Amino acid sequence: MFSDFDFDVIQRSLPYLFKEGMTFTLTITFTAMSAGIVFGTLLALMRLSPFRPLATVAGAYVNLIRSLPLVLVIFWFYFLVPWIGQWITGAERPVLVGPYLSSFITFTLFEAAFYCEIMRAGIQSIPRNQVAAGYALGLTYGQTMRTVVLPQAFRNMLPILLTQTIVLFQDTSLVYVLSISDFLGAAAKVAQRDGRLVEMYLFVAVVYFIMSYGASYYVKRLQTRLAVPR
Amino acid sequence: MAMIEIRHVSKWYGEFQVLSDCSTEVNQGDVVVVCGPSGSGKSTLIKCVNGLEPFQQGEVIVDNISVGDPKTRLPALRARIGMVFQNFELFPHMTVLDNLNLAQIKVLGRDLAAAQERSRALLKRVGLEAQAPKHPGQLSGGQQQRVAIARALAMDPIAMLFDEPTSALDPEMINEVLEVMVALANEGMTMMVVTHEMGFARQVADRVIFMDEGRIVEDATRDEFFGSPRSERAQQFLSKILRH
Amino acid sequence: MHYHWNWGIFFEMSPEGTGTYLETFVWGFGWTVATSLSAWIMALVLGCIVGVLRTTSSPWVVRIANGYVELFRNIPLIVQMFLWYFVLPELVPVGIGDWLKQLPDAAFYNAVIALGFFTSARVAEQVRAGIQSIPRGQRAAATALGLTGLQTYRYVLVPMALRIIVPPLTSEFMNVVKNSAVGLTIGLVELTGRARAMQEFSFQVFEAFTAATLAYVLITISIVLLMRWLERRVAIPGFIARAGAAH
């Protein structure tokens, strides 16, 4: 069954697959991770805010995003962002954004909802007296959060944040629906051009597996290392 | 006649030896109390009797059946040996009655009506007939342990093993459990009991075994043991225990 | 330029010739529900089996079951769908391959299988964690009563574990529904696919996506209510998780 397996097509397309495809995949993964954690933390602080409207808005956003399929959200933002751009800039017509920029915005805002829930759990796991101790030292809310609560929450949640990032890494392959040349998209283009679906998709699966498995192995080791000293 | 024979049993966890050359026996109808400081291997020893803990050397024979023999059908043997645990280990998702019925039906093959009848009789015997439809979580610790004893008795065991049956109980509940155990001993049940309740040992034990660091240090009749323990370790242990 | 809202679009005929846009949405909703439920049942059954195998005492069985979980967890779902849909028919003998390709509703079967395996790995992880959170004495007690290993799992460990993991299973159930949308990449005409098609034919983007969004929110709320009811239904009177107690 592997008699006419064409390894050559893989080898020939390696530069394209990695230089273009994997570069995009990793760029969007790390961008959405960094920006998503920042926005997610802000959302978490909003959800925990004693000011009710803020908590309600943040909660509604997070719950809505979390009940929608990522594919639908990708489409939503793809068509919505140009109109928002027009509204912000006051332009005559919807601003041309294109699938690439749109996908960066989508993944950042989508993942923010998931990072938010992780950070919220992390903040809630910090004993309330830590906050009280911060206030007692004369720190403001912002200072207490920045210097006392968030660093601890972030440290406690680091393995879960990283695990979510591995999920994000795999999820970025869904930009396929916008015909973007991420790692999967690039492979799909080669596969269809050369009629080599079997080779290309198996290769894609192997690469994703090795990278995700390797990363989760590293996270597991980090988790045991973080768990010991308290 | 020896119901339980333990011959030269040794057991290791990796490098660490938990049992060293332990030998003793329990005759039919006898009550043997096993005591010793924590980590002395007493719980491990009693779990070797029904094969819950495997051992590397020696032999355990219950009613002429070798526990360590790979050919022995352990589930069938275990069904004939009752065991009561420190933390009761009732199945929390089942009612009290179903806890008693389960193994009668699934292991002994009794029909539901016969199992129910036996279960209700035993619950009545431990004074908990009214609790039959409740779940274990709704009972006090003492009540749970009495249910656990009834559950073991429902299998009509030839011998009963007790692994620190009162250690997890609040002090005011210890007696209700001990009373059930004393009644059982007086009826002639063969019992091996790991416990620190020396009052219980004085009242019903035929023999007392003292263990330390995986060894059986003393194996004496009740009167010998409480009269004049031969080893210094046992004397120290007794003086600590009996002061309370 | 302003967006022209036209909610009446749902009562216009779709150019696909299968009725109004509203009707195509109802069909899409049906496929989403059918795909999700089928995959969910498959995931529960496989997940329970693999989760149980991971808690057995045989190192080889545990290793194989762990491998299963890692395999289906570390490859993106869309890639797994492509493997089942495009690659598998090429790897099996030609006769079977041709039969697979000509199956009616092939996209549906492939989506169910891909989603079922993918989700089963996550369910298996929950089942394993659930079983391992049960105090070890429970297994010892069942064993001491003479129950076999299989009976111990069947009557004691699995019923308890499933009760413990109802909350995480709720979010996996929601994930199945959401992930069923990936099926559109192999031609499954589910809800998101319907919204996308309507956008292409009618250019009424936001009506289409709003309708799909409302449908997903409706499904999410139904699942939350259903699982809450289930949680109350299977709750054990007087049982509080004994985490950390005793021993």
Side-chain angles (χ1 to χ4, degrees), chain B residues 158-173:
Chain B
I158 54 172
M160 288 280 284
L161 308 174
F162 293 82
D163 185 10
E164 306 207 29
T166 56
S167 302
L169 293 174
D170 292 334
E172 72 273 18
M173 292 174 185

Side-chain angles (χ1 to χ4, degrees), chain C:
Chain C
M1 196 173 113
H2 289 283
Y3 184 77
H4 297 287
W5 291 94
N6 174 18
W7 290 100
I9 186 77
F10 286 102
F11 300 103
E12 288 173 24
M13 297 302 281
S14 148
E16 291 160 293
T18 46
T20 61
Y21 281 117
L22 183 65
E23 281 172 76
T24 67
F25 259 86
V26 172
W27 276 101
F29 186 84
W31 281 114
T32 291
V33 171
T35 308
S36 311
L37 283 184
S38 312
W40 181 233
I41 291 166
M42 180 178 158
L44 279 181
V45 173
L46 282 176
C48 281
I49 295 170
V50 176
V52 162
L53 291 180
R54 294 179 76 191
T55 64
T56 56
S57 53
S58 154
W60 271 104
V61 172
V62 172
R63 217 165 290 163
I64 291 169
N66 285 348
Y68 175 100
V69 170
E70 297 297 350
L71 180 68
F72 289 108
R73 218 170 43 165
N74 285 309
I75 299 174
L77 176 59
I78 184 174
V79 177
Q80 293 192 33
M81 283 208 183
F82 285 5
L83 290 182
W84 290 105
Y85 191 70
F86 296 120
V87 176
L88 182 71
E90 307 295 333
L91 295 183
V92 294
V94 179
I96 302 175
D98 289 344
W99 176 75
L100 281 176
K101 283 184 226 172
Q102 285 158 13
L103 268 184
D105 299 323
F108 168 70
Y109 295 119
N110 278 291
V112 168
I113 289 172
L115 194 50
F117 276 115
F118 179 81
T119 312
S120 73
R122 307 168 61 108
V123 172
E125 180 61 13
Q126 302 295 349
V127 170
R128 178 197 62 79
I131 290 175
Q132 287 179 346
S133 76
I134 298 171
R136 293 174 54 155
Q138 289 278 299
R139 192 195 287 260
T143 309
L145 281 169
L147 294 176
T148 61
L150 208 60
Q151 287 174 324
T152 301
Y153 278 109
R154 165 75 181 76
Y155 299 109
V156 179
L157 299 178
V158 173
M160 269 312 287
L162 287 180
R163 284 175 168 86
I164 294 170
I165 63 173
V166 169
L169 282 187
T170 305
S171 60
E172 285 309 330
F173 196 176
M174 279 158 40
N175 282 339
V176 171
V177 177
K178 290 188 279 173
N179 285 332
S180 70
V182 177
L184 74 85
T185 59
I186 57 171
L188 182 70
V189 285
E190 46 65 71
L191 207 44
T192 305
R194 277 302 171 201
R196 173 82 167 129
M198 177 171 157
Q199 169 266 321
E200 277 178 345
F201 293 133
S202 72
F203 299 106
Q204 298 303 132
V205 188
F206 298 127
E207 290 87 340
F209 290 155
T210 305
T213 299
L214 289 177
Y216 281 113
V217 170
L218 184 76
I219 296 177
T220 301
I221 292 173
S222 311
I223 291 177
V224 169
L225 292 179
L226 175 77
M227 294 302 271
R228 246 185 232 163
W229 170 81
L230 183 71
E231 200 175 349
R232 271 200 305 273
R233 191 63 221 282
V234 302
I236 302 162
F239 177 77
I240 307 147
R242 292 195 290 173
H247 294 289

